[in-house]
């Protein structure tokens, strides 16, 4: 998802910009190899690793994102704190250029997702993971 | 406007292109439904501030081709029954509620604000490129406007049966009106304006069944997104070709198109009969082919525009086709194998044949001779199109009801 779905970056940036304009507190994050995946064996059995989850407290937005991305699985869970919800396991990410790059522009750089990674505190209860 | 064919700058304009790809300029089959653009691109007369088509007939030519943006209408009663929640139990209300929230958010409410750079850039555009830009603005504006009209009517008609779907249509017509207005202001930089009220009344409307509206609008929104984002990112990487500031707005702009496409994706999912049988597979492939071929043929006649902004037309189109096809594979039960090099070879042969057809059309022969000369060319074109249609397809579909296990990592 981080590798090929470039419109995903545009959507997240658009939403972050919008939240900034409206002074709304951010309620969505990207979590790479989230710890909460262990709770969902039915998801992990279908998932290629490393995986990344889009986590938000806005259930309707997750429904929309699931419609957009399609090739993802959704689940929801309750967490006491944001740290707990967004905790992740360390992993080495490979950011590969697709073999068949047809675009007349360069691919996004490694690390484009960093602005969307979790901060250090809060409370989430929904996830979409891949 | 001296050109015989249109500049398809947003070639897959809303709701158009049905079957156009399958039958571009086929001999005697002149669909009465095709309306020419009511707008030419007259060179701005000195001192003229606007040149409205209605009022300046001398400066306006009406061109008619199969590839011009069209205005569409549909069976509104059938639409109403499709979206009646009591009659259709497949309507995923959660998905539509989520879409409504997303459209209400209105990310681009303050995006379409112009600045003095527009006029300055337009003044610098002279010669052939100026004409090409005017055509681009006109066609794009007409395309957005035709979307506005259809969505607005659907919003109005569905209000009672399905208020959520109706409101989404209304919000999409808001986006389209905004886009059309922004493009029309762009025309004012060239001392022109489209008379949209006149267009509404003067143009004929082509009728299509709801099912075809779903497939075709889905594709035109998604291909519109890929065209705009590709131009945007190309120009960001190569700013020396940034000749007119409108392209700088494309990144945010095309997110609207992408969302509109998602809505049609949800509409299709709500009507599984359009997605789950062999007929749906054939229609999906048919619409993909129509849209891709139409765009390719159109753009190849308009290479000056793409080259003018530093793009290689065929490479640009193939990229857009491949990405649109990958996107469509998330909803259509079958798509074309466009990444097979044979597909592009077929498109290139169609371009050659189409060029010969245009040359015959522009020759000095009497109509009978022209038609006679066209027969073998039309046959050749049809055979290429049929061959492309019959290439082994790629099975696809949404992970929500695909029969296979799609790769969960793209």
């Amino acid at each position: 998802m981080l590798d090929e779905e470039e419109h995903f970056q545009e959507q997240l940036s658009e939403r972050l910009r919008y939240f900034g304009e409206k002074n709304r507190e951010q309620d969505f994050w990207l979590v790479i190899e989230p710890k909460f995946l262990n709770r969902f064996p039915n998801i992990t059995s279908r998932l290629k690793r490393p995986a990344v989850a889009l986590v938000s407290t806005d259930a309707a937005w997750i429904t929309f994102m699931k419609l957009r991305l399609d090739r993802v699985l959704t689940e929801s869970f309750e967490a006491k704190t944001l740290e707990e919800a967004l905790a992740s396991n360390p992993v080495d990410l490979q950011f590969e250029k697709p073999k068949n790059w047809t675009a007349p522009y360069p691919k996004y750089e490694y690390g484009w997702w960093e602005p969307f990674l979790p901060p250090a505190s809060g409370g989430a209860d929904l996830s979409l993971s891949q | 406007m001296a050109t015989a064919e249109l500049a398809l700058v947003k070639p897959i304009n809303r709701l158009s292109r049905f079957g156009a790809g399958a039958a571009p300029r086929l001999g005697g089959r002149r669909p009465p439904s095709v309306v020419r653009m009511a707008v030419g691109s007259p060179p701005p007369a000195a001192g003229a501030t606007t040149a409205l088509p209605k009022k300046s007939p001398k400066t306006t030519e009406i061109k008619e081709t199969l590839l011009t943006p069209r205005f569409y209408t549909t069976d509104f009663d059938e639409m109403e029954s499709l979206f009646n929640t009591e009659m259709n139990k497949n309507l995923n209300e959660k998905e539509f509620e989520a879409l409504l929230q997303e459209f209400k958010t209105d990310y681009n409410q303050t995006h379409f604000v112009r600045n003095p750079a527009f006029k300055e850039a337009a003044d610098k555009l002279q010669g052939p490129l100026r004409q090409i830009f005017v055509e681009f603005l006109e066609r794009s504006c007409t395309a957005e406007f035709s979307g506005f009209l259809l969505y607005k009517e659907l919003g109005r008609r569905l209000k009672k049966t399905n208020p959520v779907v109706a409101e989404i249509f209304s919000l999409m017509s808001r986006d389209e009106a905004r886009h059309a207005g922004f493009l029309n202001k762009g025309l004012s930089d060239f001392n022109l304006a489209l008379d949209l009220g006149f267009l509404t009344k003067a143009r004929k409307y082509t009728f299509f069944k709801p099912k075809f509206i779903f497939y075709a609008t889905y594709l035109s929104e998604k291909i519109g997104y890929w065209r705009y984002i590709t131009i945007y990112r190309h120009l960001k990487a190569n700013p020396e070709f940034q000749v007119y500031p409108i392209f700088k707005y494309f990144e945010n702009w095309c997110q609207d198109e992408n969302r509109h496409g998602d809505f049609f994706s949800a509409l299709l999912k709500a009507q599984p009969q359009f997605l789950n049988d062999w007929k749906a597979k054939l229609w999906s492939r048919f619409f993909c082919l129509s849209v891709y071929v139409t765009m390719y043929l159109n753009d190849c006649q308009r290479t000056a525009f793409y080259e003018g902004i530093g793009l290689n037309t065929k490479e640009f189109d193939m990229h857009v086709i491949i990405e649109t096809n990958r996107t469509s594979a998330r909803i259509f039960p079958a798509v074309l194998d466009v990444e097979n090099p044979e597909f592009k070879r077929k498109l290139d042969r169609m371009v050659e044949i189409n060029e010969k057809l245009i040359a015959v059309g522009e020759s000095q022969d009497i109509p009978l001779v022209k038609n006679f000369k066209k027969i073998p060319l039309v046959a050749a074109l049809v055979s290429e199109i049929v061959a492309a249609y019959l290439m082994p397809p790629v099975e696809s579909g949404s992970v929500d009801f695909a029969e296979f296990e799609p790769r969960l990592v793209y």
Side-chain angles (χ1 to χ4, degrees):
Chain A
M1 188 149 76
L2 298 180
D3 227 13
E4 289 180 34
E5 293 296 295
E6 298 211 317
H7 58 90
F8 185 45
Q9 185 276 346
E10 292 155 22
Q11 266 185 304
L12 296 183
S13 295
E14 180 186 52
R15 194 162 173 85
L16 206 55
R17 163 182 69 79
Y18 176 82
F19 275 48
E21 285 168 9
K22 301 283 169 188
N23 288 319
R24 230 168 103 176
E25 200 182 334
Q26 189 178 340
D27 64 4
F28 62 98
W29 302 270
L30 278 178
V31 185
I32 295 164
E33 273 297 306
K35 288 192 171 153
F36 65 70
L37 272 183
N38 300 335
R39 306 191 203 177
F40 303 108
N42 54 334
I43 283 190
T44 47
S45 65
R46 299 175 68 188
L47 209 54
K48 196 173 148 187
R49 308 298 277 269
V52 59
L54 176 62
V55 182
S56 175
T57 54
D58 184 338
W61 188 65
I62 288 291
T63 303
F64 169 73
M65 290 303 293
K66 160 75 178 144
L67 173 70
R68 162 67 60 86
L69 297 168
D70 190 71
R71 310 266 157 105
V72 291
L73 303 168
T74 45
E75 260 302 351
S76 64
F77 65 96
E78 301 278 336
K80 288 196 185 74
T81 65
L82 199 63
E83 285 99 334
E84 183 197 326
L86 304 178
S88 61
N89 294 314
V91 63
D92 270 340
L93 284 182
Q94 302 286 323
F95 188 64
E96 285 165 11
K97 193 163 178 159
K99 270 173 268 158
N100 185 15
W101 184 252
T102 57
Y105 47 75
K107 186 175 156 71
Y108 289 133
E109 299 287 332
Y110 178 94
W112 66 257
W113 49 86
E114 279 160 15
F116 313 109
L117 297 180
S121 63
D125 64 359
L126 257 159
S127 90
L128 173 145
S129 62
Q130 170 192 323
Chain B
M1 186 159 58
T3 43
E5 281 292 340
L6 30 124
L8 214 33
V9 178
K10 184 169 182 188
I12 304 311
N13 50 295
R14 262 123 263 304
L15 328 178
S16 77
R17 319 275 141 223
F18 296 95
R25 315 171 127 259
L26 292 197
R29 211 188 130 217
R30 192 176 70 80
S33 52
V34 176
V35 185
R36 299 11 175 77
M37 269 220 18
V39 214
S41 1
T49 48
T50 56
L52 301 180
K54 185 164 69 169
K55 291 167 189 163
S56 345
K58 278 183 198 163
T59 55
T60 302
E61 277 176 46
I62 291 182
K63 302 286 174 194
E64 183 161 350
T65 85
L66 264 169
L67 307 179
T68 6
R70 285 175 244 171
F71 282 24
Y72 283 91
T73 186
T74 188
D75 182 339
F76 292 102
D77 293 332
E78 189 189 334
M79 279 282 188
E80 279 188 272
S81 61
L82 285 175
F83 294 110
N84 188 323
T85 40
E86 279 161 29
M87 290 161 70
N88 184 350
K89 302 291 176 205
N90 291 311
L91 285 170
N92 182 344
E93 287 174 44
K94 215 175 117 198
E95 223 160 55
F96 288 113
E97 294 282 356
L99 277 159
L100 180 58
Q101 176 186 305
E102 196 66 5
F103 282 110
K104 275 185 175 165
T105 302
D106 200 3
Y107 293 95
N108 285 333
Q109 193 177 17
T110 57
H111 177 62
F112 294 95
V113 178
R114 284 159 51 85
N115 60 53
F118 279 78
K119 181 69 184 157
E120 287 161 24
D123 288 342
K124 277 189 209 147
L125 278 171
Q126 293 300 334
L129 202 55
R130 186 178 177 89
Q131 281 300 99
I132 293 166
F133 262 81
V134 167
E135 251 179 316
F136 156 70
L137 292 170
E138 285 171 349
R139 295 189 57 81
S140 306
C141 181
T142 309
E144 299 275 9
F145 188 66
S146 80
F148 160 75
L149 290 176
L150 181 77
Y151 296 164
K152 189 166 171 63
E153 183 63 12
L154 280 163
R156 202 178 66 77
R157 293 290 297 259
L158 297 173
K159 218 173 225 166
K160 279 190 189 140
T161 26
N162 194 326
V164 173
V165 167
E167 193 175 355
I168 296 172
F169 271 120
S170 300
L171 292 171
M172 294 199 325
S173 77
R174 165 204 70 194
D175 295 340
E176 304 287 18
R178 206 178 263 162
H179 300 165
F182 196 67
L183 287 158
N184 211 5
K185 280 186 193 150
L187 278 168
S188 74
D189 297 328
F190 297 85
N191 305 318
L192 294 164
L194 274 182
D195 186 340
L196 297 175
F198 172 74
L199 264 188
T200 312
K201 288 184 216 125
R203 293 190 59 147
K204 282 183 206 157
Y205 289 76
T206 306
F207 175 84
F208 278 103
K209 298 282 282 175
K211 165 174 159 171
F212 302 134
I213 295 270
F214 292 165
Y215 289 123
T217 35
Y218 172 81
L219 278 170
S220 45
E221 296 288 2
K222 290 293 184 187
I223 208 166
Y225 162 76
W226 280 111
R227 292 176 61 79
Y228 275 31
I229 198 65
T230 302
I231 291 175
Y232 174 85
R233 290 186 60 188
H234 156 72
L235 289 175
K236 201 172 178 205
N238 303 284
E240 67 275 21
F241 294 107
Q242 184 71 261
V243 288
Y244 185 61
I246 205 158
F247 303 119
K248 292 183 183 161
Y249 290 72
F250 275 16
E251 187 182 31
N252 290 6
W253 182 327
C254 67
Q255 306 305 320
D256 289 341
E257 321 291 4
N258 210 346
R259 272 186 286 271
H260 295 179
D262 295 332
F263 172 59
F264 285 101
S265 181
L267 290 185
L268 280 164
K269 282 164 107 176
Q271 312 291 340
Q273 72 274 21
F274 297 159
L275 292 175
N276 63 7
D277 62 6
W278 60 273
K279 277 187 289 184
K281 288 184 180 180
L282 294 180
W283 279 119
S284 298
R285 287 157 61 192
F286 172 79
F287 278 98
C288 285
L289 186 65
S290 300
V291 166
Y292 305 159
V293 169
T294 309
M295 177 176 82
Y296 205 78
L297 295 184
N298 268 316
D299 288 356
C300 285
Q301 288 167 41
R302 298 280 142 196
T303 52
F305 174 79
Y306 300 97
E307 286 164 10
I309 56 171
L311 283 165
N312 173 315
T313 311
K314 286 185 172 179
E315 282 174 15
F316 166 74
D317 271 28
M318 275 318 294
H319 171 65
V320 169
I321 288 172
I322 288 169
E323 292 293 355
T324 306
N325 206 58
R326 286 179 186 166
T327 305
S328 310
R330 312 247 163 98
I331 182 71
F332 287 179
V335 292
L336 303 169
D337 188 11
V338 299
E339 292 176 63
N340 180 340
E342 182 53 29
F343 187 79
K344 182 174 187 299
R345 285 196 284 272
K346 286 186 162 53
L347 288 177
D348 287 336
R349 286 197 291 270
M350 290 177 212
V351 171
E352 282 172 33
I353 301 166
N354 195 41
E355 281 165 359
K356 288 180 193 157
L357 270 171
I358 293 167
V360 171
E362 286 172 351
S363 67
Q364 301 299 314
D365 296 326
I366 57 167
L368 185 73
V369 174
K370 278 189 190 180
N371 285 339
F372 194 69
K373 284 185 177 169
K374 277 181 187 170
I375 292 169
L377 294 171
V378 169
L381 190 55
V382 170
S383 103
E384 286 295 345
I385 290 167
V386 170
Y389 183 69
L390 294 177
M391 280 174 68
V394 180
E395 298 279 309
S396 56
S398 164
V399 71
D400 287 358
F401 38 66
E403 291 154 13
F404 55 98
E405 173 82 7
R407 282 171 60 223
L408 282 170
V409 175
Y410 304 98

